Amino acid sequence: MIVVMKFGATDAQVNNVMERIRAAGLKEHLSHGVERTIIGVLGQIYPELKDTLEVLPGVDEVIRVSKPYKLCSREFHPKDTVVQVGGVTIGGNDVVVMAGPCAVESEQQLREAAVAVKAAGGTILRGGAFKPSTSPYSFRGLGKTGLELLAQMKAETGMPVITEVMSVRDVEAVAQHADILQVGTRNMQNFYLLEEVGKTGKPIMLKRGLSATIEEWLLAAEYILAQGSKQILLCERGVRTFETFTRNTMDISAIPIIEKVSHLPIIADPSHGTGKWYLVIPMALAAVAAGADGIMVEVHPHPDSALKDGAQSLNFENFEKLMKLLVPVAAAVGKRIASQSASSIS
Amino acid sequence: MIVVMKFGATDAQVNNVMERIRAAGLKEHLSHGVERTIIGVLGQIYPELKDTLEVLPGVDEVIRVSKPYKLCSREFHPKDTVVQVGGVTIGGNDVVVMAGPCAVESEQQLREAAVAVKAAGGTILRGGAFKPSTSPYSFRGLGKTGLELLAQMKAETGMPVITEVMSVRDVEAVAQHADILQVGTRNMQNFYLLEEVGKTGKPIMLKRGLSATIEEWLLAAEYILAQGSKQILLCERGVRTFETFTRNTMDISAIPIIEKVSHLPIIADPSHGTGKWYLVIPMALAAVAAGADGIMVEVHPHPDSALKDGAQSLNFENFEKLMKLLVPVAAAVGKRIASQSASSIS
Amino acid sequence: MIVVMKFGATDAQVNNVMERIRAAGLKEHLSHGVERTIIGVLGQIYPELKDTLEVLPGVDEVIRVSKPYKLCSREFHPKDTVVQVGGVTIGGNDVVVMAGPCAVESEQQLREAAVAVKAAGGTILRGGAFKPSTSPYSFRGLGKTGLELLAQMKAETGMPVITEVMSVRDVEAVAQHADILQVGTRNMQNFYLLEEVGKTGKPIMLKRGLSATIEEWLLAAEYILAQGSKQILLCERGVRTFETFTRNTMDISAIPIIEKVSHLPIIADPSHGTGKWYLVIPMALAAVAAGADGIMVEVHPHPDSALKDGAQSLNFENFEKLMKLLVPVAAAVGKRIASQSASSIS
Amino acid sequence: MIVVMKFGATDAQVNNVMERIRAAGLKEHLSHGVERTIIGVLGQIYPELKDTLEVLPGVDEVIRVSKPYKLCSREFHPKDTVVQVGGVTIGGNDVVVMAGPCAVESEQQLREAAVAVKAAGGTILRGGAFKPSTSPYSFRGLGKTGLELLAQMKAETGMPVITEVMSVRDVEAVAQHADILQVGTRNMQNFYLLEEVGKTGKPIMLKRGLSATIEEWLLAAEYILAQGSKQILLCERGVRTFETFTRNTMDISAIPIIEKVSHLPIIADPSHGTGKWYLVIPMALAAVAAGADGIMVEVHPHPDSALKDGAQSLNFENFEKLMKLLVPVAAAVGKRIASQSASSIS
């Protein structure tokens, strides 16, 4: 941490800052520049110290130089984390494809989707049982019935399932039925939920918040990792900008950035990332070309009668088209589309 | 709802859209423009219909013309909502001042702050017992001890208290001790929490999400209102933009907008809205000049040793200065600073 | 400037950075933290050095500690700049009101507006002769005819006039007729235009760019000041965010920030800042309460037949209402509405 | 255009709107919904009409249904535009690679870069002679000397050159030496410059503004097309968001969107789009996977001594690596890396 004094700060002000630093059990390091005096702070710094020092007289700004996250950083853990779930490896050279309907609507709808996803080469089944909805008047999911249908399709197809958990109340039920628990964008900073999912020991996929910086996203992952959990996936799903053509602006650069600063696998969700089905294929290909460890896409038997997010769902024909295009794009960057190891299928 | 067909859409496509509309139990209204055909949808529209229609062949876009929120809209409820809490009226011609430390740190700190707030003319005591923190390594509040200290200060000073509830788990405990329950910016779309606080029947203050549109914010309030609760305050506390000088960009225009489109009182929080104590006074004055029904500010006996958000906290001297400036600004727009009715003070 | 080395940077890497610094004629100052080594750079730093150092092996980041602007900073020039134009003082305790139509449309329209503005207490007449327009198919102003009409109204009413200059081609013509040259939001970083208007020696009003940080805005002002010009006004007119209710999000906090970091007067434009006439009055009051040195508002005899921006223009009745409300709000913060000194009126 | 009346609008208000529409020589089409009355406007609508109607009593909002751009839309011109420049085809199945230093610094620097770009398979040489710079104290390019050096390298290597023009003053000089004129992000809405470059008849590359919506970007292209020019390239180079890790947030989704709504070729600039050299390769691959017609990247013999933007420049080794990776990614989406036709090389 570095304290930059104001132009013209007095010696008394500088001394006061140094005393504060020492009072916190830390050491200081003084440096007089041409225009300003700068004080380095040495030792194990706690985050609140920035606030404390920033309001002292004569201080212009306080600059953090250490990263505030540790457990999820590549500096702390240089090797890639690989997540294993139901015979599927996420995080190595394989590109995992998670697909299925936005919301579980019925047994028939989910089965049709699951069969089609598997036939086309998808390896993990997604489906929402608890659905966040901006309006209280919209469809909010089948709840526990949805969880049971997911478990049933897992039994029928052998595919592991991923589904969202929205509340600490539901963590136990979701953990019982799902192979991967998803924490959604609106809950990225629901800190109690992060801790509770971390305690389950299950793989967690943490979606980026709507306007979360990469640092805030990693700090949210840190809440989960701090529970001892290590099986965490990050998922880029678009951020909020001024552009209105798309539902969100998908930040593809987050993919190589996460790869650089963290050891956690990074998944891309072009369905929510764009909100328009005809953008899903090009953006999925872009994500894989940029190094994504997997993609999550919405697939629906009949997008035009979907109860939720039909506009961003692929029909089966387009999903097959995507799977065919993914193969050479993955190969071009030295990867391959993940398949499930035979032994693991129940 | 209006369906805009693509330039060159065929009659078959237009007919297909009209059949869909009828199948949903609604009526259609056809209009051929010079360039495009437009279909109005008449009847009680459910929100998912937009998605359904948008993916039909030949459709260019679907435009909503009804507002998606009802209970919180001024069209539905033309008269201002007035919230009564512990002898303090919020939402009429009075400008309420809620003040206190960001986080409750100790009995002494809270008492000093409460006494100073009351002496300077504040009427509601704020203080955080449960604190959201971006990092798991930062101070996260005293929890239930904090709630008890707030209740004690309420007994000592007679001021009603407001504090944040972060989880459905804590709703009961917070409702027991607090006069107003605050839902924080990170939980604006924590839909289960919104419903649970709504069920308490207590006044709720709903802060705007970090990147929430005004419409999304009102829809979140709608979740609370849908539980039968009517005593809701909205709180503008800054939104996320590209600007890095301030912690957030405070959207003062949200104040007159809320006044126009909703009947709910609107409070402004310039402490979080700016993140810098020296901006709090001018922004509080601006909020009141723009029509705010109240302000919430952070006041700390010793901002430079605060455990949380010292950089944005006023010391007592500056809080007194603010209170003195607020009086003529409120008067200039036909309001006055709220005082607590004598009879209500225990 | 501070160079933060990566965790685990080698001595050779550190030495290489220090040699670079010395090669640039500067001195270095080494500091070993618990986790990282930090190198302070001392001397007259040129901005490109950051780029140069940031790509050296072992460097994590380079942090600037000096402000990149000088001439417009309060550190450099502690006293408020006061701009004098046609008997009107801008920048002291007076709040100047600039008003008039968005675009000059005709002699009659401009005269009606000018007479009404003056009668209600406005002191500077605004009116666009050259109009930026997002679409090539929209009205783009009367050009030189518009300039002549402004000069005529100045002669008739005695009010100084402000109008926008959009191109280096037109600087001379605009400078001949206008008392203040306005550089619009789209041209905030049209660096050649900034230099040319700076050379005229006339007062310049520089609007903030649509997504300009405060630092970039001040650097743009620096281009003008670097020509020797000192008579510069800054104008906050809303920035681009995700919110769609308003045309822009007006950043009222920019007003006290500019007052803190710069000596230049700050004007607020709530017409462009919101895009809706019914938000203009509350936002103008907010701006003045926050410390603005003036406001610029659009006033039109018949907003509902305006050729440009009718939706954000006040009619005469509302402008009078605004002027009446401004008086006590300005007084509440120790200011008064500016009037033109009698002697200056031709 | 559709006029949505307020809930409870009177018949007189509705009639007034209809009279206005007729007075503008247009026809109206009335539709009574359950909650609101809606009036369609039929005929050749001029853009200002929206403003005019929006301020009429009883009007809630006015919604545009026609796209405001025409000449650049795919509806108007369904076939892809292909730009031919110096034996290089841009806009078909070829992916063009434009590369070179951010700024032309010296003959030697430019020659080294040009030779390396050509050897690795690049086909168009980029280099800045006039450089926009946020600060007046930074390097701003060699100006006309830079243009002459570019012309010389074109003669030596046979590669066509692209360079930025920043002012109407310099259009003639730049058009004389460059094969493609680039309009930079800060000048996207410098409308006079757009018209002047359009008049040259030369191919133009129009970069997206820092916070320009896709619609505004296309309207800016419309200014150029309206001059009769048809050879226009669009270039996505990142937009401004809240994220601070990258210099800008590159909007890869703009690539398939432009392909859908416009016939103009779309180029991606991952150097400015990210600001960090180590993100350039993955983002260039992502852009091509998403369907880009080309990429523009900064290549410098010695990024660590570059006068401008060294942090985002590739060295020769990394540029070669990029070119090798581009080949299979382009092939995976049915394209190939463009080469220059032999006959065209002088």
Side-chain angles (χ1 to χ4, degrees):
Chain A
M1 197 170 282
I2 290 166
V3 182
V4 182
M5 301 301 293
K6 282 183 183 155
F7 182 79
T10 64
D11 284 356
Q13 289 171 334
V14 171
N15 286 333
N16 181 34
V17 172
M18 294 198 294
E19 276 163 30
R20 274 304 167 121
I21 292 168
R22 285 182 217 128
L26 302 162
K27 287 191 180 167
E28 84 289 351
H29 190 287
L30 192 64
S31 161
H32 293 289
V34 172
E35 293 190 356
R36 289 158 196 276
T37 294
I38 287 164
I39 307 168
V41 186
L42 311 178
Q44 277 304 332
I45 292 161
Y46 56 102
E48 287 77 17
L49 187 64
K50 184 176 191 294
D51 275 352
T52 303
L53 297 178
E54 211 149 44
V55 290
L56 294 181
V59 172
D60 193 41
E61 56 177 334
V62 178
I63 300 165
R64 242 178 35 207
V65 295
S66 301
K67 303 275 181 294
Y69 47 85
K70 290 178 198 293
L71 302 175
C72 60
S73 77
R74 202 172 271 285
E75 288 192 350
F76 175 82
H77 185 294
K79 242 181 97 181
D80 282 356
T81 282
V82 171
V83 172
Q84 296 284 357
V85 55
V88 181
T89 299
I90 308 174
N93 277 325
D94 288 6
V95 173
V96 72
V97 177
M98 309 179 178
C102 180
V104 177
E105 295 170 18
S106 71
E107 185 177 330
Q108 190 192 338
Q109 172 245 23
L110 187 61
R111 182 176 293 116
E112 281 185 50
V115 168
V117 164
K118 186 166 184 174
T123 40
I124 294 180
L125 179 65
R126 66 147 288 154
F130 298 98
K131 296 302 306 172
S133 167
T134 304
S135 161
Y137 309 122
S138 295
F139 178 61
R140 296 170 63 189
L142 297 182
K144 294 198 177 167
T145 307
L147 291 180
E148 286 156 15
L149 289 173
L150 285 166
Q152 186 182 331
M153 285 318 135
K154 179 189 174 181
E156 290 187 19
T157 64
M159 284 193 288
V161 300
I162 178 170
T163 197
E164 179 168 351
V165 54
M166 286 175 59
S167 170
V168 292
R169 286 194 313 213
D170 302 322
V171 169
E172 200 183 322
V174 175
Q176 189 187 329
H177 291 99
D179 298 281
I180 308 176
L181 280 67
Q182 176 181 312
V183 175
T185 193
R186 290 173 184 80
N187 281 312
M188 192 200 83
Q189 291 193 318
N190 185 336
F191 302 115
Y192 293 120
L193 181 61
L194 297 177
E195 291 180 334
E196 289 304 315
V197 298
K199 286 177 189 160
T200 65
K202 286 253 176 179
I204 309 298
M205 185 166 88
L206 178 65
K207 288 196 148 188
R208 183 178 183 180
L210 201 53
S211 60
T213 61
I214 285 170
E215 187 176 296
E216 289 167 341
W217 188 16
L218 290 170
L219 280 165
E222 198 84 2
Y223 267 92
I224 309 177
L225 284 156
Q227 300 301 319
S229 187
K230 291 205 171 64
Q231 301 273 294
I232 300 180
L233 311 172
L234 298 171
C235 179
E236 162 64 32
R237 46 77 71 209
V239 292
R240 178 150 282 182
T241 69
F242 58 85
E243 179 60 67
T244 55
F245 194 99
T246 43
R247 191 163 167 175
N248 299 292
T249 297
M250 196 165 173
D251 180 7
I252 294 285
S253 75
I255 296 166
I257 291 170
I258 290 294
E259 198 184 330
K260 184 178 175 69
V261 302
S262 174
H263 52 91
L264 299 173
I266 172 77
I267 309 295
D269 174 351
S271 302
H272 287 91
T274 65
K276 297 196 186 288
W277 70 266
Y278 57 81
L279 297 175
V280 170
I281 294 181
M283 293 305 281
L285 300 178
V288 171
D293 294 299
I295 56 165
M296 172 180 255
V297 292
E298 298 194 349
V299 175
H300 195 284
H302 310 287
D304 56 0
S305 66
L307 287 185
K308 183 124 186 117
D309 287 344
Q312 71 192 34
S313 296
L314 295 181
N315 61 21
F316 295 163
E317 188 187 338
N318 281 317
F319 181 63
E320 282 167 36
K321 192 176 155 200
L322 166 62
M323 293 304 295
K324 281 183 189 134
L325 282 162
L326 275 178
V327 173
V329 171
V333 292
K335 295 194 174 181
R336 56 174 192 177
I337 303 305
S339 57
Q340 204 176 1
S341 65
S343 64
S344 74
I345 303 178
S346 54
Chain B
M1 197 170 283
I2 290 165
V3 182
V4 182
M5 301 300 294
K6 282 184 183 153
F7 182 79
T10 65
D11 285 355
Q13 290 172 334
V14 171
N15 287 332
N16 181 34
V17 172
M18 293 199 294
E19 276 163 31
R20 275 302 168 123
I21 292 168
R22 284 181 219 131
L26 301 162
K27 287 192 180 168
E28 85 289 350
H29 190 285
L30 193 64
S31 161
H32 292 290
V34 172
E35 293 191 355
R36 290 161 195 275
T37 294
I38 286 163
I39 306 169
V41 186
L42 311 178
Q44 278 304 330
I45 291 161
Y46 57 102
E48 288 77 17
L49 188 64
K50 183 176 191 296
D51 275 352
T52 304
L53 297 177
E54 212 150 43
V55 291
L56 295 180
V59 172
D60 193 42
E61 56 178 335
V62 177
I63 299 165
R64 243 178 33 208
V65 294
S66 301
K67 304 274 180 297
Y69 47 84
K70 290 180 198 294
L71 302 176
C72 61
S73 77
R74 201 173 272 284
E75 288 192 349
F76 175 82
H77 185 294
K79 241 180 99 181
D80 282 356
T81 283
V82 171
V83 172
Q84 296 286 355
V85 54
V88 182
T89 299
I90 309 175
N93 276 326
D94 289 7
V95 173
V96 72
V97 177
M98 308 179 178
C102 180
V104 177
E105 296 170 18
S106 70
E107 186 178 329
Q108 190 191 337
Q109 172 245 24
L110 187 61
R111 182 176 292 115
E112 281 185 49
V115 168
V117 164
K118 185 165 184 174
T123 38
I124 295 181
L125 179 64
R126 66 145 289 154
F130 298 98
K131 295 302 306 173
S133 167
T134 304
S135 160
Y137 309 122
S138 296
F139 178 61
R140 295 170 63 190
L142 297 182
K144 295 198 177 167
T145 308
L147 291 180
E148 286 155 15
L149 288 174
L150 285 166
Q152 187 182 330
M153 286 318 136
K154 179 190 172 180
E156 291 187 18
T157 65
M159 283 192 288
V161 300
I162 177 169
T163 198
E164 179 168 353
V165 55
M166 286 175 59
S167 170
V168 292
R169 284 195 314 213
D170 302 322
V171 169
E172 200 183 323
V174 176
Q176 190 188 327
H177 292 97
D179 298 281
I180 308 176
L181 279 68
Q182 176 181 313
V183 175
T185 194
R186 291 173 183 80
N187 281 313
M188 192 201 82
Q189 291 192 319
N190 185 335
F191 302 115
Y192 293 120
L193 181 61
L194 297 177
E195 291 179 335
E196 290 305 314
V197 297
K199 285 177 190 161
T200 65
K202 286 253 177 179
I204 309 298
M205 186 167 86
L206 178 65
K207 289 196 149 190
R208 183 177 182 181
L210 201 54
S211 60
T213 62
I214 285 169
E215 186 176 296
E216 290 167 340
W217 187 16
L218 290 171
L219 280 165
E222 198 84 1
Y223 268 92
I224 307 176
L225 284 157
Q227 299 301 320
S229 187
K230 291 205 170 65
Q231 300 272 295
I232 300 180
L233 311 171
L234 298 171
C235 178
E236 161 64 31
R237 46 77 71 208
V239 293
R240 178 151 283 182
T241 69
F242 58 85
E243 179 59 68
T244 55
F245 194 99
T246 42
R247 191 164 167 175
N248 298 293
T249 297
M250 196 165 172
D251 179 7
I252 294 284
S253 76
I255 295 166
I257 292 170
I258 290 294
E259 198 185 329
K260 184 178 174 70
V261 302
S262 175
H263 52 91
L264 299 174
I266 171 77
I267 308 297
D269 175 351
S271 303
H272 286 91
T274 64
K276 296 197 187 285
W277 70 266
Y278 58 79
L279 297 175
V280 170
I281 293 182
M283 294 305 281
L285 301 178
V288 170
D293 295 299
I295 57 164
M296 171 180 254
V297 293
E298 297 193 349
V299 175
H300 196 284
H302 311 287
D304 56 1
S305 66
L307 288 185
K308 183 124 188 117
D309 288 345
Q312 70 192 33
S313 296
L314 295 181
N315 60 22
F316 295 162
E317 187 188 338
N318 281 317
F319 180 63
E320 280 167 38
K321 192 176 153 198
L322 167 62
M323 292 304 295
K324 280 184 190 134
L325 283 162
L326 275 178
V327 174
V329 171
V333 293
K335 296 194 175 181
R336 57 175 192 177
I337 303 306
S339 57
Q340 205 175 0
S341 65
S343 64
S344 73
I345 304 178
S346 56
Chain C
M1 197 172 281
I2 291 166
V3 182
V4 182
M5 301 301 293
K6 282 184 183 154
F7 182 79
T10 64
D11 286 355
Q13 289 171 335
V14 171
N15 286 332
N16 181 35
V17 172
M18 294 199 294
E19 276 164 31
R20 275 302 168 122
I21 292 168
R22 284 182 219 131
L26 302 161
K27 287 191 180 170
E28 84 288 351
H29 189 285
L30 193 65
S31 160
H32 294 288
V34 173
E35 294 190 355
R36 288 160 197 275
T37 294
I38 287 163
I39 307 168
V41 185
L42 311 179
Q44 277 306 330
I45 291 161
Y46 56 102
E48 288 75 20
L49 187 65
K50 182 174 192 297
D51 275 354
T52 303
L53 297 177
E54 211 149 44
V55 291
L56 294 181
V59 171
D60 195 39
E61 55 177 336
V62 177
I63 299 165
R64 241 180 35 209
V65 295
S66 302
K67 303 274 180 294
Y69 46 85
K70 290 180 198 293
L71 302 176
C72 61
S73 76
R74 203 172 269 286
E75 288 192 348
F76 174 82
H77 185 293
K79 242 180 97 180
D80 282 355
T81 283
V82 172
V83 172
Q84 297 285 357
V85 54
V88 182
T89 299
I90 309 175
N93 276 326
D94 288 6
V95 173
V96 72
V97 177
M98 307 178 180
C102 179
V104 177
E105 297 170 17
S106 69
E107 185 179 331
Q108 190 191 339
Q109 172 245 24
L110 187 60
R111 183 176 292 116
E112 281 185 49
V115 168
V117 163
K118 185 164 185 176
T123 38
I124 294 180
L125 179 65
R126 67 146 288 154
F130 298 98
K131 297 302 306 172
S133 167
T134 304
S135 159
Y137 309 122
S138 296
F139 177 60
R140 295 169 66 189
L142 297 182
K144 295 198 177 166
T145 306
L147 292 180
E148 286 155 16
L149 289 173
L150 285 166
Q152 186 182 334
M153 285 318 135
K154 180 188 171 184
E156 291 187 18
T157 65
M159 283 193 287
V161 299
I162 178 170
T163 198
E164 179 167 352
V165 55
M166 288 174 61
S167 170
V168 292
R169 283 195 311 214
D170 302 322
V171 170
E172 200 183 322
V174 175
Q176 190 189 328
H177 291 98
D179 298 282
I180 307 176
L181 279 66
Q182 176 180 313
V183 175
T185 194
R186 292 173 183 81
N187 281 313
M188 192 200 83
Q189 291 191 319
N190 185 336
F191 302 116
Y192 292 119
L193 181 61
L194 298 177
E195 291 179 334
E196 291 303 315
V197 297
K199 286 177 191 161
T200 65
K202 286 253 176 178
I204 308 298
M205 185 166 88
L206 178 65
K207 289 197 148 188
R208 182 177 183 181
L210 201 54
S211 61
T213 62
I214 285 170
E215 186 177 297
E216 289 167 340
W217 188 16
L218 290 171
L219 279 166
E222 198 83 1
Y223 267 92
I224 308 177
L225 284 157
Q227 300 301 321
S229 187
K230 290 202 171 67
Q231 300 273 295
I232 299 180
L233 311 172
L234 298 171
C235 178
E236 162 64 32
R237 45 77 70 208
V239 293
R240 179 152 279 183
T241 68
F242 57 86
E243 179 60 67
T244 55
F245 194 98
T246 42
R247 191 163 167 177
N248 298 293
T249 297
M250 197 166 170
D251 179 7
I252 294 285
S253 76
I255 296 166
I257 292 170
I258 290 295
E259 198 186 327
K260 186 180 174 68
V261 303
S262 175
H263 53 90
L264 299 174
I266 172 78
I267 308 297
D269 174 351
S271 303
H272 287 91
T274 65
K276 295 194 189 286
W277 70 266
Y278 57 81
L279 297 174
V280 169
I281 292 180
M283 294 305 281
L285 300 178
V288 171
D293 295 299
I295 57 165
M296 173 182 252
V297 294
E298 297 191 351
V299 174
H300 195 284
H302 311 286
D304 56 0
S305 66
L307 287 186
K308 184 126 187 114
D309 287 346
Q312 70 192 33
S313 297
L314 296 182
N315 60 23
F316 295 162
E317 188 187 339
N318 281 317
F319 180 63
E320 281 166 36
K321 193 177 154 197
L322 167 61
M323 292 304 295
K324 279 183 190 133
L325 283 162
L326 276 177
V327 173
V329 171
V333 293
K335 295 195 174 179
R336 57 174 192 175
I337 303 306
S339 57
Q340 202 175 2
S341 64
S343 63
S344 73
I345 303 178
S346 53
Chain D
M1 197 171 282
I2 290 165
V3 182
V4 182
M5 300 301 294
K6 283 183 182 155
F7 183 79
T10 64
D11 285 355
Q13 290 171 333
V14 171
N15 286 332
N16 181 35
V17 172
M18 294 199 294
E19 276 164 31
R20 275 301 166 126
I21 293 169
R22 285 183 218 129
L26 302 162
K27 286 190 181 171
E28 84 288 351
H29 190 285
L30 193 64
S31 161
H32 293 288
V34 172
E35 294 191 354
R36 288 160 197 275
T37 295
I38 286 163
I39 307 167
V41 186
L42 311 178
Q44 278 305 331
I45 291 161
Y46 56 103
E48 288 75 19
L49 188 64
K50 182 174 191 296
D51 276 353
T52 303
L53 297 176
E54 212 148 43
V55 290
L56 294 180
V59 172
D60 195 40
E61 55 177 336
V62 177
I63 299 165
R64 241 179 34 207
V65 295
S66 302
K67 304 274 181 293
Y69 46 85
K70 289 180 198 293
L71 302 175
C72 61
S73 77
R74 202 173 270 286
E75 288 192 350
F76 175 81
H77 185 294
K79 241 180 99 180
D80 283 355
T81 283
V82 172
V83 172
Q84 297 285 357
V85 54
V88 182
T89 299
I90 308 174
N93 276 326
D94 288 7
V95 172
V96 72
V97 177
M98 308 179 181
C102 180
V104 176
E105 296 169 18
S106 69
E107 186 178 331
Q108 189 192 338
Q109 171 243 27
L110 187 61
R111 182 177 291 116
E112 281 185 49
V115 168
V117 164
K118 185 164 185 176
T123 39
I124 294 180
L125 178 65
R126 67 146 288 155
F130 298 98
K131 297 301 305 172
S133 167
T134 303
S135 160
Y137 309 122
S138 296
F139 177 60
R140 296 170 65 189
L142 297 182
K144 295 199 176 166
T145 308
L147 292 180
E148 286 156 16
L149 288 173
L150 285 166
Q152 186 182 333
M153 286 317 136
K154 181 188 171 183
E156 290 187 18
T157 64
M159 284 194 286
V161 299
I162 178 170
T163 198
E164 179 167 353
V165 55
M166 287 174 60
S167 171
V168 290
R169 285 195 310 214
D170 302 322
V171 169
E172 200 183 323
V174 176
Q176 189 187 331
H177 291 98
D179 297 282
I180 308 177
L181 280 67
Q182 176 181 311
V183 175
T185 194
R186 291 174 183 79
N187 281 312
M188 192 201 83
Q189 291 192 320
N190 184 337
F191 302 115
Y192 292 120
L193 181 61
L194 297 177
E195 291 179 336
E196 290 303 315
V197 297
K199 285 177 190 161
T200 65
K202 286 253 176 179
I204 309 297
M205 186 166 88
L206 178 66
K207 289 196 148 189
R208 183 177 183 181
L210 201 54
S211 61
T213 62
I214 285 169
E215 186 176 297
E216 289 167 339
W217 188 16
L218 290 171
L219 279 165
E222 199 83 1
Y223 266 92
I224 308 176
L225 283 157
Q227 300 301 321
S229 187
K230 290 204 170 65
Q231 301 273 294
I232 300 180
L233 311 171
L234 297 171
C235 178
E236 162 65 31
R237 46 78 69 206
V239 293
R240 179 152 280 183
T241 69
F242 57 84
E243 178 61 68
T244 54
F245 194 99
T246 43
R247 190 164 167 177
N248 298 294
T249 297
M250 197 167 170
D251 180 7
I252 294 285
S253 75
I255 296 166
I257 291 170
I258 290 294
E259 198 185 329
K260 186 180 174 68
V261 303
S262 175
H263 53 91
L264 299 174
I266 172 78
I267 308 297
D269 174 351
S271 302
H272 286 92
T274 65
K276 295 193 188 288
W277 70 266
Y278 57 81
L279 297 174
V280 170
I281 293 181
M283 294 305 281
L285 300 178
V288 171
D293 295 299
I295 57 165
M296 172 180 252
V297 293
E298 297 191 350
V299 174
H300 195 284
H302 311 287
D304 56 1
S305 65
L307 287 187
K308 182 122 188 121
D309 286 346
Q312 70 193 34
S313 296
L314 296 181
N315 60 22
F316 295 163
E317 187 187 337
N318 281 318
F319 180 63
E320 281 167 36
K321 193 176 154 199
L322 167 62
M323 292 304 296
K324 280 185 189 131
L325 283 162
L326 275 178
V327 173
V329 171
V333 294
K335 296 194 174 179
R336 57 175 191 173
I337 303 307
S339 57
Q340 203 175 1
S341 64
S343 63
S344 74
I345 304 178
S346 53

